[in-house]
Amino acid sequence: MACLLEGPLRISVLSEVTATSRHYVDRLFDPDPQKVLQGVIDMKNAVIGNNKQKANLIVLGAVPRLLYLLQQSSSSDMLRTECAVVLGSLAMGTENNIKSLVDCHIIPALLQGLLSPNVSFIEACLRCLRTVFISPVTPVQLLYSDLTVIPHFICLLSQSLHTQEYITQIFSHCCKTPDHQTVLFNHGAIQNIAPLLNSSSPKVRMQALKCFSVLAYENTQVSMTLVNVLVDGEPLTQVFVRMMQRDKPIEMQLTAAKCLTYMCRAGAIRTDDSSIVLKTLPCLVRMCSKDRLLEERVEGAETLAFLVEPDVDLQRIASVTDHLLAMLADYFKYPSSVSTIADIKRLDHDLKHAHELRQAAFRLYASLGSNDEDIRKKITETENMMDRIVSGLSESSIKVRLAAVRCLHSLSRSVQQLRTSFHDHAVWKPLMKLLQNAPDEVLIMASSTLCNLLLEFSPSKEPILESGVIELLCSLTQSDSPALRVNGIWALMNMAFQADQKVKMEIVRSLGTDHLFRLLSDPDPNVLMKTLGLLRNLLSTRPHIDQLMGSHGKQIMQAVTLILEGEHSIEVKDQTLCILANIADGNTAKELIMTNDDMLQKIKYYMGHSHVKLQLAATFCISNLIWNEEDGSQERQDKLREMGFVDILHKLSQATDPNLCDRAKTAMQQYLA
Amino acid sequence: MRKLLSSELQFPHITANRPYSRCCPRMSHYCWFFQSLTLSLCKKLNTQNPKNMAELGAGSPLLGDPALNYQEHELNERLKRLYPAVNEEETPLPRSWSPKDKYSYIGLSQNNLRVHYKGHGKNHKDAASVRATHPIPAACGIYYFEVKIVSKGRDGYMGIGLSAQGVNMNRLPGWDKHSYGYHGDDGHSFCSSGTGQPYGPTFTTGDVIGCCVNLINNTCFYTKNGHSLGVAFTDLPPNLYPTVGLQTPGEIVDANFGQQPFVFDIEDYMSEWRAKIHSMIARFPIGERLGEWQAVLQNMVSSYLVHHGYCATATAFARATETIIQEDPNSIKNRQRIQKLVLAGRVGEAIDATQQLYPGLLEHNPNLLFMLKCRQFVEMVNGTDSEVRCFSVRSPKSQDSYPGSPSPSPRHGANNPHLHSTGADSPTCSNGVTPPNKTKTHSKYPSISSASSSSSSSPSSVNYSESNSTDSTKSQPHSGTSNQETSDSEMEIEAEHYSNGVAENSSSRIMNGTYKHQEILQVDDNSLGNGVAVESCASKQFCGGNQAATERMIQFGRELQALNEQLCRQYGKNTMHKKMLQDAFSLLAYSDPWDCPMGQQLDPMQRESICSALNSAILESQNLPKQPPLMLALGQATECVQLMARVRSGSCSFARVDNFLH
């Protein structure tokens, strides 16, 4: 009933509004400039707080006319200012309004207006620009397309408190990439904005502070500069510390803590500096408390995660500060249960932030648990933690899934947790599911976690193997992303460690020897290392060695030769020589080396290498070849003696390195026996 | 304290050989006073002196007893700063461990701050605790102390926490009812229970553990090496003592009750709560009574102005706010006149004026009359009261005493000789106090003091005090400018206690003393600092140094004593009166009463209390409130906050009235 009545009523109101709006627009075209001015002023009063009116005026084409008046040099300053004010008011409406304004090329017109000598006109233009630029629908790049804009903005900073407020607000919203940071930095933003931190206006102080947080974010150059800046003789870091005092507004505390965090992460402040340990960290922990707004708690946790990520001492301190681990558990209790109608508004609010809260908590848990076993234990002991991670892994939000898997990865570094809680909660199941179809970001973390779950002592290894993981991992090794290739091959390497013959054959079959050897020439040295590791694990225990060398001996020997001849790091060569030593341990496989004089020469060469590690590996190889108790050992010993190995062994038994010395002596004994 | 030398105190001898020969001739005149006063005064001063010293040591360290060592000084400073709302006379703060309130296995050293274990330490039955000397006062709002683990001893079974009076000391804190502790060996918190809850990290040698009691929400949290560990206990009972407990040999801990800076930034934590409470007060909902409140506030301001007789300001305020003044403007002016007389030290005239304008008032208030007369006596010593001043004006001697002054003004000089002496040296009034203050006054009341010339009046009134003094003795009319200044001076009074008797005072004399407290103190400081003291002291003499005036004073003293005796007969003994009389008379015992233990009486500031008493009495006689509602409200609020402290509401610490007075 109500709807039926309302329908026609609304239409009539709308038409009425349109009619009056039309009148406002018409007045802008009056030949008398005085009447135009009055028209603009009336329009200003009409649109304030009236979104419908704003939309109407835009539809009726008021914007181009206002812009025309604003740009006309014949217009009085008063008129131009009023036009800018009305445009600013229109921008305050919906996002659609902003889009329309930007489409009318309002930005260049307003930027042009900033060249005027009239301060109130400049302020009106800046106010409007501010409103436009802080909207998410405005392309940020528009600020940087004209190279003269930023320097002019910097110049205008000295004009008035208003210009300071608007300009710093624009900067803090429009500095989104390292390039933007560099542009602002190069134009002296730091020196010009720093004094504003002591401004008499709280708004200016706040916006200036925000500028520094966006400028310093992951920017070493800016951060390094900031530590040397003085504001009224006081170091900037001290100003930030002062802004974190507990009686300051929360937003100010949080933003100042961000600035210091970014400076610390960029290496400009030591992690054991008291401004970090005793001020920034506790401030960020406070931001995670239940008393704070949901947005503040999200930002607080994210920033804290960033701060403590690389430093175990900070992780330890944070983990005991104000029961942080328990505090974070509360992040998962949103949306909280709703009992009354009045709570529905809160429910809406909770829902909006629930994902953000969860991902922030997961990220912070991940950071806290990345190094210290005790902290990991405490995290897993936090109420329902593993269940929460498990359900987090299958959440709809990518951000939450990513954060959950990060957290799981962090915890998977614990042998104890792998053996207990990980197995109890069958975390491998959702993890495997996650690996089926996910963006690279998630895949990297998930596969990395899987690597740990495939470690030989992990009870999850068996069920994962049974779930057909090999195919999946092999497909990862074919990925374009080096990180995914590493994780794939790494997981396979872990899987092959002391595995059954069946599993090993399955790996070789799935991977395909061609691909395996292609990985040995991978541009990423990590991939190469792990592939060699895989080979080494595959080539362990005599029957396995013989079988594998029997089927793929030729290719393997070829690959080994190639690597030993190539330009590779010590680690890679060491790993390769270890593979060779494993081959030398096989019954039949030995012959592949013994019959390859070139290879023996290489071993000889590495026994005389300057690096002890390589000498050791090569000696190990020879030691395996001449080991008594095996068939044909006498012939091999003779051949190698002829080749001069005994002399080398003799020399090595005098080596200063005790391991090498021992190894050489053991090998010599084979001849004596 | 500087001048409290024993030789000076023993004034019985001064009749014979007083070192200041100049004073000797006068002494004989009031010898009779001493006969009656000497004995009692001597006794009083001698006994008072050591007592004063003792009080200094305990209560008010700011005055700097040399016996106080640096650490104690720092402790007192810090405690004062951290807990300004605590009245240590009622509720002393813990400053050390109590040697009486401890188990025998506990040893104390280093001013009772270091605790060590000296028992067997075989099992939990050998646990031992010690409490601080005093419980934590609720008025702290937020209380904090730290304990440094000097050595964890054999097993590090150390507990840090709180316990109530009487809790068994053969235990670690936390194990019993009304006992709370955080233990180093397992990091658990013990809340009146033998089994702990996982709380924080363990602690050991080298760690500093802090314990913070929030008396606003009755919770407690600990800190470790400056990091807050989060809430440990809630719903704490009142009157808990800081407590530590040890259990194995070798355990040593040091307490810091404020002797040293704390590792944890407790002041930052306090600032958060201060801000919270202030915003709670600021946001206190008044709902629909908004309009009512405004009327109440306006009424308060108006009644305050009226009460103090700021007639023009009150009228202007009433006009601006469209309110009505209850009292007749003439009545206000009368009161103002009397007040000005008292503040100018012309108490005799004030008494006359009161008797004339409010007949019967003083007769009905014999106590007040006696107080006024006592004050009059003091002012006679000061040389300010008209009864003695009339002599000195004509006295040629007084001119001699100010040889450098171009326009000798004895009464002014007597009022404030320092000011005068500087004025004599440099006619531009180089003490530099008045002009800046005046401009400040103007800026405070910009809308009201519109007509008065802010720039011209400040220098002119300075000159006023010097140039006017000669002709003013007989000058009658004042030109238009001086009238303007009159209206101006009304405003100045509010801020500066500036007495400018020209305006309403139909009498021919002009008093233009500067009575602002800070000014006088400041001038005194200056003079003491740069050695002017001797000179100015010499220039300050009894009753302005006039013989006749001195005689008049002595006669008045007799009358006063007679009045006292009469009152005694009529109303019985009054110790207050006796004391007042003694104090006033004792001024005569010194060659330089301005610089003697009793000299404070001569401070013009002392006129204020009697002035407001007289004003209140007049108002009361007119059936008007004897106290302005504003002061009443202020007093009630202050009292409320103190009451909060007594009923253990910790927020009183951050809701102090003076936080809101600027």
Side-chain angles (χ1 to χ4, degrees):
Chain A
M1 280 296 276
C3 284
L4 283 175
L5 279 173
E6 248 177 40
L9 196 69
R10 202 187 288 150
I11 289 165
S12 71
V13 167
L14 187 66
S15 61
E16 200 177 296
V17 168
T18 317
T20 54
S21 307
R22 163 71 60 195
H23 177 62
Y24 284 120
V25 180
D26 289 345
R27 289 171 67 190
L28 300 181
F29 292 90
D30 199 290
D32 180 358
Q34 214 45 48
K35 282 188 180 160
V36 174
L37 177 62
Q38 194 52 50
V40 175
I41 292 171
D42 289 347
M43 186 186 275
K44 174 179 76 178
N45 295 334
V47 296
I48 287 175
N50 187 340
N51 272 351
K52 205 180 272 176
Q53 185 72 278
K54 287 175 191 174
N56 283 335
L57 288 175
I58 290 171
V59 169
L60 292 169
V63 178
R65 181 63 185 167
L66 285 168
L67 281 175
Y68 172 81
L69 292 170
L70 182 136
Q71 288 171 296
Q72 247 352 67
S73 53
S74 59
S75 303
S76 67
D77 277 350
M78 180 92 169
L79 176 60
R80 299 171 79 190
T81 307
E82 292 296 339
C83 286
V85 171
V86 174
L87 288 167
S89 198
L90 294 177
M92 287 284 197
T94 62
E95 286 188 354
N96 279 330
N97 290 3
I98 303 251
K99 275 186 200 146
S100 315
L101 290 171
V102 174
D103 290 344
C104 291
H105 304 292
I106 187 177
I107 292 176
L110 290 170
L111 290 175
Q112 194 63 31
L114 298 181
L115 299 172
S116 154
N118 184 314
V119 175
S120 52
F121 176 55
I122 289 176
E123 285 179 354
C125 288
L126 278 174
R127 194 182 303 123
C128 185
L129 280 168
R130 184 270 317 259
T131 314
V132 173
F133 272 119
I134 64 173
S135 164
V137 300
T138 312
V140 173
Q141 202 48 43
L142 289 173
L143 185 66
Y144 302 94
S145 43
D146 181 348
L147 295 177
T148 61
V149 170
I150 300 292
H152 189 59
F153 269 41
I154 301 272
C155 281
L156 290 176
L157 276 175
S158 58
Q159 290 286 328
S160 73
L161 285 178
H162 282 124
T163 62
Q164 288 168 0
E165 182 194 335
Y166 304 142
I167 290 171
T168 46
Q169 200 174 350
I170 291 170
F171 284 171
S172 59
H173 273 89
C174 294
C175 182
K176 293 197 190 289
T177 68
D179 287 345
H180 298 163
Q181 289 172 336
T182 309
V183 170
L184 290 173
F185 176 80
N186 288 342
H187 286 107
I190 291 176
Q191 288 72 21
N192 284 285
I193 296 173
L196 305 185
L197 288 173
N198 280 349
S199 165
S200 58
S201 155
K203 282 183 184 169
V204 173
R205 283 202 299 273
M206 196 56 231
Q207 294 303 335
L209 183 60
K210 280 190 177 172
C211 274
F212 284 112
S213 80
V214 293
L215 281 169
Y217 179 67
E218 293 192 325
N219 191 316
T220 311
Q221 188 186 32
V222 170
S223 297
M224 287 297 184
T225 310
L226 287 182
V227 280
N228 296 319
V229 171
L230 295 180
V231 185
D232 294 345
E234 193 184 10
L236 198 62
T237 44
Q238 283 313 302
V239 177
F240 290 150
V241 167
R242 207 154 33 76
M243 288 176 149
M244 287 191 298
Q245 278 168 12
R246 296 165 84 137
D247 53 352
K248 295 282 187 297
I250 297 301
E251 191 189 15
M252 178 174 279
Q253 291 184 39
L254 180 54
T255 315
K258 276 187 181 178
C259 290
L260 287 165
T261 296
Y262 299 156
M263 287 164 75
C264 178
R265 280 303 303 267
I269 307 176
R270 290 166 55 99
T271 49
D272 59 357
D273 191 281
S274 71
S275 65
I276 297 296
V277 181
L278 289 174
K279 294 293 171 189
T280 310
L281 185 146
C283 175
L284 288 171
V285 174
R286 288 203 300 277
M287 296 302 140
C288 300
S289 97
K290 222 174 174 174
D291 306 336
R292 302 275 72 85
L293 300 176
L294 300 184
E295 296 90 328
E296 292 160 354
R297 294 169 74 182
V298 170
E299 279 195 59
E302 284 177 345
T303 313
L304 186 57
F306 188 57
L307 176 69
V308 304
E309 201 174 20
D311 189 282
V312 67
D313 286 326
L314 291 181
Q315 289 160 11
R316 289 197 182 113
I317 292 168
S319 71
V320 299
T321 300
D322 285 339
H323 304 301
L324 177 64
L325 299 180
M327 219 192 276
L328 286 178
D330 199 67
Y331 277 46
F332 295 95
K333 296 179 182 162
Y334 293 89
S336 44
S337 56
V338 177
S339 51
T340 63
I341 292 288
D343 278 351
I344 287 189
K345 206 172 171 188
R346 204 194 65 209
L347 175 72
D348 189 44
H349 184 246
D350 283 4
L351 271 174
K352 226 187 266 171
H353 291 91
H355 295 304
E356 288 292 307
L357 280 165
R358 278 199 290 273
Q359 65 87 20
F362 278 136
R363 284 189 60 176
L364 184 46
Y365 276 131
S367 270
L368 289 169
S370 58
N371 295 92
D372 188 288
E373 183 65 31
D374 281 347
I375 301 176
R376 286 188 202 119
K377 186 161 177 282
K378 273 196 244 167
I379 292 173
T380 38
E381 282 166 2
T382 311
E383 53 167 317
N384 302 329
M385 191 60 209
M386 292 313 286
D387 290 338
R388 276 177 183 144
I389 294 178
V390 167
S391 58
L393 290 174
S394 43
E395 264 204 45
S396 59
S397 156
I398 288 267
K399 246 180 139 179
V400 178
R401 268 185 289 169
L402 177 61
V405 73
R406 260 176 200 245
C407 183
L408 192 67
H409 176 244
S410 187
L411 297 176
S412 73
R413 291 181 182 160
S414 155
V415 177
Q416 197 197 351
Q417 298 315 321
L418 283 177
R419 284 189 172 144
T420 55
S421 53
F422 274 54
H423 187 59
D424 297 344
H425 290 86
V427 293
W428 63 272
K429 279 184 191 163
L431 192 65
M432 287 300 292
K433 218 176 135 203
L434 196 61
L435 279 162
Q436 305 300 327
N437 186 22
D440 276 6
E441 247 186 323
V442 177
L443 272 184
I444 291 170
M445 283 324 279
S447 54
S448 195
T449 313
L450 196 62
C451 287
N452 290 343
L453 282 166
L454 286 169
L455 287 166
E456 56 87 28
F457 50 78
S458 161
S460 308
K461 188 177 177 177
E462 280 308 310
I464 295 176
L465 272 175
E466 283 158 22
S467 72
V469 74
I470 295 176
E471 288 289 335
L472 185 103
L473 291 174
C474 291
S475 70
L476 286 183
T477 63
Q478 312 210 9
S479 159
D480 290 336
S481 151
L484 278 180
R485 290 202 301 274
V486 171
N487 287 346
I489 200 79
W490 194 339
L492 288 170
M493 179 185 94
N494 284 350
M495 196 187 283
F497 183 78
Q498 294 182 357
D500 295 343
Q501 178 70 4
K502 192 175 136 250
V503 174
K504 287 184 180 174
M505 290 322 288
E506 175 72 14
I507 291 173
V508 175
R509 193 192 56 76
S510 265
L511 202 56
T513 40
D514 287 352
H515 184 56
L516 182 68
F517 297 119
R518 212 176 300 136
L519 287 170
L520 286 175
S521 52
D522 198 279
D524 187 331
N526 284 321
V527 175
L528 174 56
M529 271 304 280
K530 297 306 167 201
T531 313
L532 289 170
L534 171 64
L535 262 179
R536 192 174 157 186
N537 284 348
L538 289 173
L539 292 166
S540 76
T541 71
R542 213 162 278 159
H544 296 176
I545 296 167
D546 287 338
Q547 194 184 2
L548 190 63
M549 291 311 284
S551 52
H552 300 93
K554 204 176 160 200
Q555 293 110 308
I556 290 173
M557 288 309 285
Q558 227 166 27
V560 168
T561 312
L562 264 171
I563 292 167
L564 287 180
E565 283 173 354
E567 294 277 320
H568 289 289
S569 66
I570 298 296
E571 284 73 29
V572 169
K573 299 226 162 151
D574 177 49
Q575 191 76 295
T576 316
L577 285 169
C578 285
I579 290 172
L580 209 53
N582 279 10
I583 295 170
D585 191 38
N587 283 329
T588 53
K590 275 190 179 67
E591 290 312 312
L592 285 166
I593 302 176
M594 286 311 295
T595 53
N596 188 338
D597 282 358
D598 179 46
M599 187 59 79
L600 289 172
Q601 287 300 335
K602 284 198 171 62
I603 295 172
K604 202 170 161 187
Y605 165 75
Y606 282 106
M607 283 175 83
H609 198 269
S610 60
H611 209 280
V612 175
K613 249 181 134 179
L614 299 186
Q615 286 180 299
L616 202 60
T619 312
F620 197 42
C621 190
I622 289 299
S623 167
N624 279 347
L625 287 175
I626 60 174
W627 205 256
N628 275 316
E629 304 153 29
E630 284 167 21
D631 290 342
S633 63
Q634 192 58 48
E635 293 97 75
R636 287 192 293 276
Q637 285 183 2
D638 291 345
K639 179 171 183 187
L640 292 176
R641 190 200 306 269
E642 279 166 33
M643 291 184 76
F645 277 93
V646 176
D647 298 341
I648 301 173
L649 284 174
H650 200 77
K651 216 188 284 167
L652 288 179
S653 64
Q654 316 288 322
T656 46
D657 186 272
N659 283 332
L660 184 58
C661 181
D662 279 358
R663 177 60 56 198
K665 277 178 184 163
T666 320
M668 292 282 284
Q669 275 165 8
Q670 302 304 314
Y671 278 100
L672 297 174
Chain B
M1 299 309 283
R2 190 171 48 89
K3 289 279 175 180
L4 263 177
L5 305 171
S6 57
S7 65
E8 269 185 289
L9 289 177
Q10 288 162 5
F11 49 80
H13 307 292
I14 55 178
T15 43
N17 50 3
R18 207 173 150 102
Y20 305 103
S21 59
R22 202 148 53 101
C23 305
C24 278
R26 272 210 323 246
M27 296 311 293
S28 58
H29 290 292
Y30 41 82
C31 274
W32 65 272
F33 269 122
F34 300 139
Q35 317 270 293
S36 58
L37 291 176
T38 306
L39 209 74
S40 62
L41 269 174
C42 211
K43 225 160 95 187
K44 191 174 70 181
L45 287 169
N46 280 338
T47 52
Q48 220 169 40
N49 203 21
K51 194 181 146 214
N52 274 344
M53 300 294 266
E55 275 173 2
L56 279 178
S60 50
L62 291 176
L63 296 180
D65 185 333
L68 281 172
N69 67 30
Y70 176 73
Q71 196 187 48
E72 272 179 59
H73 178 72
E74 207 188 342
L75 169 68
N76 288 323
E77 290 272 287
R78 188 169 289 113
L79 294 183
K80 202 89 212 147
R81 192 174 67 237
L82 289 174
Y83 317 117
V86 174
N87 174 5
E88 286 215 72
E89 312 227 318
E90 271 179 36
T91 51
L93 286 159
R95 282 157 199 264
S96 64
W97 300 115
S98 167
K100 293 172 200 144
D101 199 6
K102 69 177 185 65
Y103 195 65
S104 55
Y105 290 171
I106 289 288
L108 295 178
S109 60
Q110 304 198 351
N111 295 324
N112 293 332
L113 290 173
R114 173 163 288 190
V115 185
H116 68 268
Y117 183 78
K118 55 180 189 183
H120 312 293
K122 286 194 189 110
N123 56 37
H124 75 273
K125 284 178 186 157
D126 294 327
S129 289
V130 57
R131 268 186 282 270
T133 46
H134 300 287
I136 298 163
C140 291
I142 283 160
Y143 182 79
Y144 186 70
F145 71 99
E146 278 178 354
V147 172
K148 184 182 170 86
I149 314 302
V150 178
S151 168
K152 76 176 194 76
R154 198 184 69 203
D155 298 328
Y157 290 163
M158 302 156 295
I160 291 160
L162 308 158
S163 66
Q165 178 76 276
V167 171
N168 186 357
M169 297 312 262
N170 185 15
R171 311 271 285 160
L172 286 187
W175 286 350
D176 300 293
K177 196 168 176 353
H178 293 315
S179 175
Y180 307 84
Y182 165 37
H183 292 193
D185 56 317
D186 55 7
H188 287 186
S189 65
F190 289 72
C191 179
S192 307
S193 154
T195 45
Q197 298 292 317
Y199 167 67
T202 59
F203 57 85
T204 182
T205 307
D207 286 328
V208 176
I209 303 300
C211 175
C212 179
V213 183
N214 183 328
L215 297 127
I216 300 162
N217 58 14
N218 298 316
T219 61
C220 160
F221 68 85
Y222 288 90
T223 67
K224 180 182 169 183
N225 300 328
H227 290 280
S228 163
L229 302 178
V231 171
F233 310 114
T234 57
D235 304 302
L236 290 175
N239 287 327
L240 292 172
Y241 291 71
T243 309
V244 291
L246 306 175
Q247 199 188 301
T248 66
E251 291 169 358
I252 306 169
V253 299
D254 276 352
N256 176 9
F257 293 107
Q259 282 85 358
Q260 270 140 35
F262 292 119
V263 179
F264 176 71
D265 192 346
I266 187 65
E267 286 175 66
D268 196 25
Y269 178 72
M270 285 174 155
S271 75
E272 183 181 345
W273 277 88
R274 190 173 298 115
K276 259 186 212 176
I277 302 230
H278 282 199
S279 81
M280 204 196 286
I281 293 169
R283 284 194 220 134
F284 185 79
I286 52 171
E288 288 158 21
R289 290 157 61 205
L290 194 63
E292 238 175 276
W293 278 49
Q294 189 172 5
V296 168
L297 289 175
Q298 284 172 350
N299 193 9
M300 275 182 142
V301 173
S302 167
S303 57
Y304 180 82
L305 294 172
V306 168
H307 179 95
H308 287 286
Y310 306 141
C311 191
T313 315
T315 319
F317 183 79
R319 213 183 308 122
T321 57
E322 295 171 0
T323 49
I324 301 152
I325 296 176
Q326 309 248 315
E327 198 182 353
D328 171 37
N330 276 328
S331 164
I332 303 175
K333 281 185 181 147
N334 285 336
R335 283 192 295 110
Q336 194 182 28
R337 200 185 117 205
I338 293 169
Q339 284 188 74
K340 278 176 182 165
L341 286 169
V342 177
L343 289 176
R346 293 153 63 188
V347 184
E349 284 169 74
I351 295 172
D352 291 346
T354 310
Q355 277 165 342
Q356 185 200 330
L357 291 164
Y358 304 98
L361 175 80
L362 291 174
E363 285 75 358
H364 289 117
N365 286 298
N367 286 344
L368 180 64
L369 180 64
F370 184 78
M371 272 162 66
L372 282 164
K373 293 249 180 197
C374 272
R375 186 69 215 174
Q376 189 179 358
F377 179 82
V378 173
E379 296 299 349
M380 284 170 116
V381 175
N382 223 349
T384 4
D385 193 78
S386 41
E387 293 222 30
V388 298
R389 213 177 34 195
C390 57
F391 296 106
S392 39
V393 168
R394 289 176 210 112
S395 157
K397 274 187 187 171
S398 76
Q399 270 190 359
D400 293 344
S401 65
Y402 302 104
S405 169
S407 53
S409 163
R411 17 171 232 291
H412 188 247
N415 268 336
N416 199 339
H418 305 301
L419 185 70
H420 198 92
S421 63
T422 40
D425 291 338
S426 87
T428 51
C429 191
S430 64
N431 62 23
V433 179
T434 325
N437 277 339
K438 286 207 70 168
T439 42
K440 208 161 117 195
T441 315
H442 282 287
S443 62
K444 261 189 183 169
Y445 303 95
S447 58
I448 306 168
S449 62
S450 54
S452 59
S453 49
S454 60
S455 56
S456 69
S457 72
S458 33
S460 76
S461 83
V462 174
N463 295 337
Y464 213 24
S465 60
E466 289 171 11
S467 60
N468 272 356
S469 40
T470 33
D471 58 21
S472 61
T473 39
K474 39 200 180 308
S475 79
Q476 280 282 354
H478 276 271
S479 62
T481 47
S482 78
N483 276 338
Q484 220 175 28
E485 230 141 65
T486 302
S487 66
D488 190 20
S489 77
E490 273 195 301
M491 259 79 74
E492 280 155 18
I493 289 161
E494 304 158 30
E496 301 191 11
H497 301 274
Y498 207 103
S499 176
N500 192 337
V502 198
E504 292 78 20
N505 203 344
S506 51
S507 91
S508 56
R509 295 195 183 88
I510 287 173
M511 272 305 308
N512 198 350
T514 41
Y515 294 117
K516 203 187 174 206
H517 322 144
Q518 291 99 309
E519 259 170 57
I520 285 157
L521 292 174
Q522 198 177 332
V523 170
D524 274 341
D525 286 349
N526 285 343
S527 62
L528 293 175
N530 57 26
V532 186
V534 185
E535 191 200 353
S536 54
C537 281
S539 66
K540 222 180 340 185
Q541 294 177 17
F542 281 101
C543 313
N546 181 283
Q547 186 83 23
T550 312
E551 278 165 20
R552 171 73 194 112
M553 174 189 74
I554 287 171
Q555 195 206 333
F556 185 81
R558 288 204 183 94
E559 287 166 23
L560 192 54
Q561 193 159 39
L563 178 65
N564 183 34
E565 281 158 19
Q566 184 211 326
L567 287 175
C568 275
R569 280 193 300 276
Q570 233 173 312
Y571 302 100
K573 255 197 170 165
N574 186 326
T575 45
M576 270 263 291
H577 289 179
K578 203 178 150 193
K579 166 109 174 42
M580 268 195 284
L581 202 61
Q582 273 181 0
D583 287 352
F585 286 171
S586 61
L587 286 172
L588 304 183
Y590 298 88
S591 62
D592 181 1
W594 288 271
D595 192 7
C596 79
M598 312 305 289
Q600 216 203 349
Q601 292 178 83
L602 294 166
D603 190 331
M605 229 171 101
Q606 302 295 321
R607 293 168 187 155
E608 284 183 10
S609 60
I610 183 81
C611 177
S612 72
L614 178 58
N615 190 33
S616 298
I618 296 172
L619 285 165
E620 225 175 353
S621 76
Q622 310 291 107
N623 286 325
L624 289 164
K626 66 170 181 174
Q627 255 209 325
L630 179 64
M631 297 313 285
L632 208 63
L634 204 61
Q636 279 174 343
T638 312
E639 200 58 38
C640 250
V641 173
Q642 277 163 12
L643 194 66
M644 281 167 80
R646 273 180 223 125
V647 300
R648 305 194 194 91
S649 167
S651 42
C652 67
S653 179
F654 303 120
R656 291 163 58 68
V657 176
D658 40 347
N659 286 338
F660 296 87
L661 300 176
H662 301 293

